[in-house]
Amino acid sequence: MPALKRKSETVSDPAIKKPKSSHPQKSTVSVLRGEEPAFPRGGASVLTPLEHKQIQIQAKQDVLFEQSTGKTARAFESEDDENEGDEMGERDRASTTVRQKRRSQAVNSKKQKTSKVIEEPKLKIEGLSYKRLVPGSMVLGQVMQINRYDIALSLPNNLTGYIPLTAISDKVTSDMEALAAEDISINDAEESKELGDIDLKNYVSVGQYLRAHVTSTSAPSGSEGKMKKHIELSINPKQANTGLSKSDMITNNVVQAVVTSVEDHGLVMSLGLDDSAVRGFMGSREIGHSRKIANLREGAVFLCIVIGQSSNGNIIKLSADIQRIGTIKKSNFLADAPTVDSFLPGSAVELLVADISSTGLAGKVMGLLDVTADLIHSGAAASGKDLEKKYSVGMKVKGRVICTFPIAEEKKLGISFLDHVIGLSSQLSKGTDEHSVPTDTLPISSIIEQARVAKVEPGLGLFMDIGVKGIRGFAHISQLSDSKVETLYQSTGPYKTGSVHRARVIGYNPMDGIFIVSLEKRILDLPFLRLEDVQVGQIVKGTVQKLIVNPAGVGGVLVNITEGISGLVPEMHLSDIHLQHPEKKFREGLNVTARVLSIDLGRRLMRFTLKKALINSDAAVWKSYEDLAQGMQAPGTLVNVLLTGAVVQFYGPVRGFLPVSQMSESYIKDPKQHFHVGQVVNVHILSVDATEKRMLVSCRDPAAFDAGQEKALKGLGPGAIVSGTVSEKTADEIIVELTGSGLKASLRFEHLTDGSAQKSLGAAKKIRVGQALQDLLVLSKSENKRLVKLTSKPSLVKASRANRLPQALDELKIGAEVSGYIRNIIPTGAFLQFAGDLTGFLPAKLMPEEIKKLPEFGMRRDQSVVVKVLSINHGQERFTLTQQALPAQGKPDLAASQVPDRALTYPADGVSTSIDDYTFGKLTKAKIISVKETQMNVQLADGVQGRIDVSQIFDSWEDIKDRKHPFKSFSPRQVLPVRILGVHDSRNHRFLPITHSNKAPVFELSAKPMDQTEADFDILSIDKVAEGSAWTAFVNNVTADCIWVNLSPNVRGRIRAMDVSDDLSLLADLEKNFPVGSALRARVTHVDPANNRLDLSARSGSASTAITIKDLTKGMVLPGRVTKTTERSVMVQLSENVSAPVHLIDLADDYDLANPTIYQKNQTIRVCVGDLDIPNKKIILSTRPSKVLSSSLPIRDQEITSISQLKVNDVVRGFIKNVADNGVFVSLASNITGFIRITDLSDSYIKDWKAGFEIDQLVQGKITAVDPTLHHIQLSLKRSVLDKDYVAPLTYADMHMGRVVTGKIRKVEDFGVFIVVDNSSNVSGLCHRSEMAEERVHNVKKLYDEGDAVKAIVLKVELEKRRISFGLKASYFSKEADENDSDEDDSDGMDGVQLMAGAGDKIADESPEHEDLNLDDVEDMESEADTVFSANSDTEAKVLGGLLPAHNGVSLTAGGFDWTGGLKDAEVQDTHSDTDREVPTKKKKKRRKAEIKVDKTSELDAHGPRSVADFERLLLGQPNSSYLWLSYMAFQLQLSEVTKAREIAERAIRTIAHSKDTDTEVLNVWVAYLNLENTYGSDETLEEVFKRACERNDAEEMHNRLTSIYIQSGKNERADTLLQTMVKRYSQDPKVWLNYAAFLFDTLAAPHRARDLLPRAMQSLPRHHHLDLTSKFAQLEFRSSNGDPERGRTIFEGLLSTFPKRLDLWNVMLDLEIKLGNKEQIRRLFGRVTGSKLKAKKAKYFFKKWLDWEEKEGDEKSSENVKARAAEFVRKQVETIEHGA
């Protein structure tokens, strides 16, 4: 290994003789000699006084060292071994070592002559590397890539650092905090447009040079305890200018600055210095030619040069002009500085060359500061020139500082002489195009067929010519071949200079100006290296990596197409049909063929499709709107199906809309009945707009419209009379197939007659499909849409035949009478339409007087009208109509009669000359003066003002990019095309017709693109707004309960607060989430034109309509606004006229959480209609999560909707509704009430029972009677009724002499203690002090305290006086233990538990099921306790095996470790110090006395604790004993009290003190807890306990324990999953890999999977683990019944060929072969090992082992053969020794 060789070469101990290298090495001669020149330039020394002083001190120390030891002092100390793995620094280190050797030789020879000459230590040449990069380092970098959440910075020597969002500038950080405060989710794809405010491209640019401060060099890799290489940087001037002060702000110094304010004449900048008074200023001329000051933002960061300062030094003048900073030949470099701290990365300096080598050079700046340039940045790598020819010692050269070395002993800087680094520019390839970017000339992932080796750096890699002039490629030694390359040579070997190889570009470092290439065959063969290499629409081969599971099932599949590149197959793209069980079809490892749907490089996401219809399609891939044209055909996937059509997704961002009319040749009413999401449809393009990214597609067969029909359509003109047959009839029109041509045309109902709408509708009802229609008039046609509009109005047909139906403007004549129909009506008139979509305007003033005051002038849309032409404007292609008689003298000049001519100056459109030119509908231009929240103030000309309302900007909802700030894209002085609507009336907030113009009118304008192109347009008024119609509304004002919005400048409406959004979280702060000016999509719920009232709703679907009580249905979920809260209910308003309460019983699924006070007034909440009584107008609402949120959380208190749900003996909870004299009434539901009699309230007598109950109190009871007829329910709160295991409290009558009871000390007196019996009706008695112990008790209070738990025996009972005398003497209980048998144990609640003395039968098999799977070396618990518990069933034995030790001291094991957690013997002995004693006798009173002092309840039992009280007593004395806690848990499990066992485990975890001494105790409890949940709990409870255990203990240890629990319980699949997690999380632990392999071999019988682990383990583990791990994997092949011994031999042979002297490998292999029993193989192996070169001692061992085996397994002849071989070995050894002598 090269690293090891280098390490051996750098050993500097003179006592060790190094062998000479077998390969010749190029001699490295240092140009700078050890002694000073005799006559240095200028007559002075090149060394500073400080350096002279240091040399003198070092010389004295060396002389003293030599005199005392006789050894030569080392002239230069080698660097620590920690940098041996650096890539770019290896060659520097090697050459430095050679120079050190030769220097040492020279010094030694000189010291033989004189001891006074001391060689000066030379500066070591080294470059930047990952190991030399530490937190606090400074480095110069170039922005390489701007990502979504960070910035990638290219650093020297092929390093890359990342700048997070919070490390750019304080401004960016504050913007992020502001967005977080607004609850804006950056990860939400739908809200990603909000990130426009924090687009990192606004703060830095690609190619920009910046100084960075290293904040971290590692980051968590996802596995606990494992870190990955990750360089995190900060470019904030506060860190990037660390060390600089006000005094360092001198001319030509380079500092980093951030923009704090953008002014007209320049930028105010912050330098991040400690002195906040010091600021920077950059003039507008100093920002550089490539930047514009208008585009700069606060927070932008620049690397600047100081060009001056103010008189007081507080204002630093800066320049960021690259041409100025990068020109350092004569100036702009730092020639002088107050301190060495002034020199930071980015500074240009002039240095004096002091040392030159083939790998770099070193020098000094200002004679004080050391600088070095490595192989790359000295220019030697790129140019290939010899540095010793280019530079000479003593030469002054200029360069730029690129890094610092904080860990160096002396302050030292790295410097670069590369032209592009000095000039702070990007490296350009020197090809035909001088300005081409290298990656454009040679993209990453390109394969270079002939890459020639230009330079060989032994131990480092190759520099290669790759076909890009001026830029070389570098291939590291580890990337030359799939196999290991030990070393490189200049003139020999496959990689010698001039050799040609096939290579692939894997990266480019713009800072170094070098391509990174690889010669590895596996890299060359990879189909893709990066996500950027994959093309949208490309067909790829992949492997199923993982199934994505969500609550709804399988949500998708992850498919891996190559190393490190995976993509997602969404659920809808798994198959052409919907799969019910995708997991059955897609298994991990399955090979699939997929097609790339889309790639998101910013988020590094890729999506595939597995639909065969898309994969096998030969149609062109639609991935860009620019490449699409009308008529193209391709398949697409439906992603959304609406009532109006469907959205079709293709590839990349391309989507199209499929209208319902284009879905089929036949009529489709509801597309959802015929199409579904995920369906693949073949479509062709009807129209595409690449600019707007819109596309219309059709499923209809384009071939159905043949050439004949197309010719017929072209020949069909407006005004033609045709006939046809009705082919289809819809709700408002008739589809007619024209006779002869077969064309389809539409005929609206309103165009059937000239009469009223009812008459037309009646005529439509009489028409049937197939009926022939005559005299149909063609009104218009659209060849693109193949649409023909017809009319059968007799007046229009007659006019057409009489040539009075115009089709074009040229056919009109002033005064001519024409027939048409009403198209639209506005307050100022009506628009009339004729044939060919010709439209004219009929002003209101030119209508008859009798209709002017009628609503809408008494007209309706599509009404037939006869008018006369009043005027024609051919320039604007408009004409005016009239219904009045024309004056005899001709047409009047209305414009001249109303407003005098006023000349314009500087009109915005450059055409208008007079204000009179601004007429209604005129198209002109306006310049923006200011932008407000709801309008833009504009100027049509000097002195002529106008306004554009926010509602007159956008054509559709999709056009609004920023819906919170629609005007964000507009700025002052911008010129917009507009159309004049009228004159604005600021007093009434509406606009008037042009005729209302005053002297200084403010024109109301429209900037909608649609209004600029349509020949005529419609002005919206409130009477044209219909209920149910959808609009884009803009917020005008926000109040507490509603939002006022504008649909147009003069149409204003209101949206109630609860109707503003479906997302209730947004309603908490209306002003914040819906600011003034923001856009909403709203639907009209009510309109009243008479009162000018308009109500809207922004909620989706049917929720937009106003709610009445009749609209409500049971189970409906809808939002409501809280109007009032009390302690009993919440009042919720659903609409203006509908309100209802939410009672306590309906607030939550868990009545413990029912709290009305958590709701606030005006808060919007989601409610469900629970009960509805429309006749009585009674509504009951519910906020239960199970109702309003479809929550899957467990429901503790089920909702009761009917009395039939209730059964006798049901236990229910409810709230007290009333406390009456005869009992308590409890509300069980909103309409169900239960009754509790006084006698059913409690088992005991309660004197003042009303004091214990109050209204709204939560109670739990059991139903004792149900009468559905009378609607009566009776409950009981008695504990005896509720608890099936209820035991009646003991009374005085139950007490009898000799009865043993447990209790607590109630009171302590000098004469004795009063004891209250447990589980009794306050039964108490006295234990006199004479009955407490065998000996006299002098002080009772020292022995007992109040509350102590004790066990007593009844000595005397006096029922009449209610007195009881108790005894606590130990002798009482020893007698009772001898006399009573196990039957009496049952009375104490110990049913099912047998206490035994001594060792009993084993609970489970001692031998583990999986002996080879040793997950951890855990001590086995060998209990010496005399008694244990035994389980009565197999299940209990299984669980207790994890809680208690086995009888013989060997605990239950699985997979090689102890289920009890490895309790130690001492712990068990301590725990049973009270229970392991023999039964005390009367003769051992002293011993009993000691026991009384320790155990206040005397001996608990001769056989251990027998009750809860016994355990509690023991735990009081030994709370840290895990054995006691585990025994307690086992005791509860034997009583089937699983819940109590859990509670005990939780108590144990909380109680045991956490320290190093008790870690094992806590671990034991956690293991038992896991075992309990595995057997009795669910997956969720086990997972929860496991997560907590990992947090409290060693996570890896807990993973091991749970794995063994799974194996022991037969849950192998879960064990497999957990082990997979472990090898990812703890990949640095070789035990994890080996354990997993053993599990796969032995348990799952999957050796192929186990073998696949070895290469993965080798990649993850350090090299020093490889040999041992490989050996153990080979041993598994031998030892496992599922292994392959031949494969194991192959692995061992490979190891032995690499490490032939590792005798331990030979020994292991011999043992394995001996166990296998193949005699020939064993003899062959013994022969090989004894035939190798062995020392006598080792040879003796192997010969003896061979001989022993032959004597046991072989015969006499084979034994003699071994002896003969041994004798021959000894003979050869003797000969060798004699020959050597």
Side-chain angles (χ1 to χ4, degrees), residues 362 493 540 586 630 647 761 1155 1181 1255 1331 1352 1704 1719:
V540 296
F586 298 100
Q630 182 179 348
V647 180
L761 185 59
N1155 183 11
L1181 302 178
I1255 295 177
E1331 299 295 336
D1704 56 333
K1719 295 183 179 180

Side-chain angles (χ1 to χ4, degrees), residues 1580-1634:
E1580 291 75 15
T1581 58
L1582 178 60
E1583 182 66 22
E1584 180 184 358
V1585 173
F1586 178 60
K1587 288 181 179 179
R1588 292 172 55 202
C1590 291
E1591 293 173 357
R1592 304 282 184 87
N1593 304 275
D1594 181 11
E1596 184 177 359
E1597 174 72 14
M1598 296 315 302
H1599 278 78
N1600 285 333
R1601 298 301 181 106
L1602 183 58
T1603 304
S1604 289
I1605 291 174
Y1606 280 151
I1607 296 173
Q1608 191 268 350
S1609 57
K1611 300 177 180 179
N1612 294 332
E1613 292 185 1
R1614 296 185 182 178
D1616 188 15
T1617 303
L1618 191 58
L1619 283 168
Q1620 290 182 31
T1621 304
M1622 291 179 65
V1623 297
K1624 294 178 181 178
R1625 184 171 297 178
Y1626 309 108
S1627 58
Q1628 295 297 305
D1629 188 352
K1631 291 182 181 179
V1632 175
W1633 295 98
L1634 189 61

Side-chain angles (χ1 to χ4, degrees), residues 756-806:
S756 63
Q758 289 78 10
K759 186 176 180 181
S760 299
L761 185 59
K765 291 181 179 179
K766 298 178 181 179
I767 297 177
R768 298 290 183 265
V769 175
Q771 180 179 344
L773 301 179
Q774 304 294 330
D775 294 332
L776 302 176
L777 173 68
V778 177
L779 279 178
S780 64
K781 70 172 182 178
S782 174
E783 293 187 9
N784 291 336
K785 297 182 180 180
R786 299 168 183 172
L787 181 63
V788 178
K789 292 183 179 180
L790 304 176
T791 180
S792 63
K793 286 180 176 287
S795 60
L796 297 182
V797 176
K798 182 179 179 181
S800 176
R801 288 174 175 170
N803 294 325
R804 289 190 292 106
L805 183 64

Side-chain angles (χ1 to χ4, degrees), residues 77 84 167 186 207 220 378 633 663 826 877 914 921 1008 1026 1069 1223 1383 1417 1421 1471 1491 1551:
E77 293 292 333
E84 292 177 2
I186 294 178
S378 63
Q633 299 185 26
M663 286 184 169
I826 61 175
E877 296 184 353
S914 171
K1008 287 185 176 182
D1069 192 343
D1383 293 337
D1417 295 326
M1421 182 184 71
T1471 303
E1491 291 171 355
T1551 304

Side-chain angles (χ1 to χ4, degrees), residues 1347-1383:
D1348 284 348
V1350 295
K1351 182 171 162 185
I1353 189 168
V1354 179
L1355 300 178
K1356 184 179 180 182
V1357 180
E1358 297 181 44
L1359 292 177
E1360 297 80 6
K1361 297 182 180 180
R1362 300 174 67 86
R1363 291 180 181 177
I1364 303 175
S1365 297
F1366 291 112
L1368 296 176
K1369 290 182 179 181
S1371 58
Y1372 295 148
F1373 301 103
S1374 60
K1375 294 178 182 179
E1376 183 263 344
D1378 294 334
E1379 296 172 359
N1380 294 344
D1381 55 11
S1382 58
D1383 293 337

Side-chain angles (χ1 to χ4, degrees), residues 4 10 85 310 322 507 613 660-661 701 828 1275 1719:
L4 294 177
T10 57
S310 62
I322 298 301
V660 65
S661 59
D701 186 6
T828 58
L1275 299 95
K1719 295 183 179 180

Side-chain angles (χ1 to χ4, degrees), residues 824-1117:
N824 198 10
I825 304 170
I826 61 175
T828 58
F831 291 94
L832 273 68
Q833 193 160 13
F834 305 92
D837 290 334
L838 181 66
T839 305
F841 182 64
L842 174 63
K845 60 184 178 182
L846 298 179
M847 297 179 184
E849 293 294 334
E850 61 272 14
I851 68 172
K852 288 183 179 180
K853 297 182 180 180
L854 296 176
E856 293 190 343
F857 313 111
M859 299 179 178
R860 59 178 175 83
R861 295 189 60 163
D862 295 313
Q863 178 183 344
S864 302
V865 181
V866 178
V867 294
K868 294 180 180 179
V869 179
L870 177 65
S871 64
I872 304 174
N873 188 336
H874 291 279
Q876 296 185 357
E877 296 184 353
R878 296 184 177 278
F879 61 98
T880 306
L881 306 170
T882 180
Q883 287 182 320
Q884 297 179 355
L886 291 177
Q889 299 176 355
K891 66 177 182 177
D893 190 356
L894 296 178
S897 64
Q898 292 179 11
V899 183
D901 290 339
R902 285 164 284 178
L904 299 176
T905 57
Y906 301 106
D909 58 2
V911 176
S912 302
T913 58
S914 171
I915 195 172
D916 298 321
D917 294 339
Y918 295 132
T919 59
F920 173 79
K922 177 180 174 64
L923 294 174
T924 182
K925 292 185 178 179
K927 182 170 67 175
I928 300 175
I929 302 301
S930 62
V931 179
K932 306 297 182 182
E933 292 176 335
T934 60
Q935 70 178 39
M936 288 190 295
N937 296 328
V938 299
Q939 192 178 60
L940 298 174
D942 281 0
V944 181
Q945 307 298 325
R947 70 181 290 273
I948 305 174
D949 191 86
V950 67
S951 61
Q952 300 299 314
I953 296 293
F954 307 98
D955 283 340
S956 64
W957 173 260
E958 290 74 18
D959 296 337
I960 308 174
K961 304 303 181 185
D962 190 341
R963 284 151 190 167
K964 277 195 175 182
H965 307 285
F967 280 141
K968 189 173 183 179
S969 59
F970 298 93
S971 59
R973 296 189 293 275
Q974 184 178 350
V975 178
L976 300 176
V978 296
R979 172 168 262 170
I980 298 176
L981 301 179
V983 178
H984 178 67
D985 184 2
S986 58
R987 289 181 299 178
N988 299 321
H989 299 286
R990 61 188 181 93
F991 68 90
L992 306 172
I994 300 296
T995 55
H996 290 74
S997 299
N998 51 33
K999 294 182 179 179
V1002 177
F1003 289 93
E1004 191 72 41
L1005 308 171
S1006 173
K1008 287 185 176 182
M1010 180 172 57
D1011 289 345
Q1012 315 303 315
T1013 56
E1014 288 189 355
D1016 50 7
F1017 62 96
D1018 187 11
I1019 299 177
L1020 182 66
S1021 59
I1022 193 171
D1023 51 348
K1024 298 176 184 177
V1025 179
E1027 286 193 16
S1029 57
W1031 301 89
T1032 299
F1034 297 88
V1035 178
N1036 182 269
N1037 189 21
V1038 180
T1039 63
D1041 58 347
C1042 70
I1043 288 180
W1044 292 92
V1045 296
N1046 279 3
L1047 305 186
S1048 72
N1050 58 347
V1051 178
R1052 189 179 186 189
R1054 185 188 68 161
I1055 303 177
R1056 292 190 310 127
M1058 67 180 66
D1059 293 331
V1060 172
S1061 174
D1062 289 328
D1063 188 353
L1064 301 185
S1065 62
L1066 300 178
L1067 307 184
D1069 192 343
L1070 292 178
E1071 290 187 2
K1072 178 181 177 182
N1073 297 316
F1074 304 96
V1076 172
S1078 58
L1080 293 171
R1081 300 183 76 172
R1083 187 180 301 275
V1084 178
T1085 60
H1086 177 70
V1087 60
D1088 186 359
N1091 297 318
N1092 199 28
R1093 177 172 177 175
L1094 180 64
D1095 293 331
L1096 304 100
S1097 173
R1099 296 176 60 199
S1100 60
S1102 60
S1104 300
T1105 59
I1107 296 176
T1108 64
I1109 192 171
K1110 295 181 179 180
D1111 298 327
L1112 299 177
T1113 58
K1114 192 172 182 180
M1116 177 185 292
V1117 178

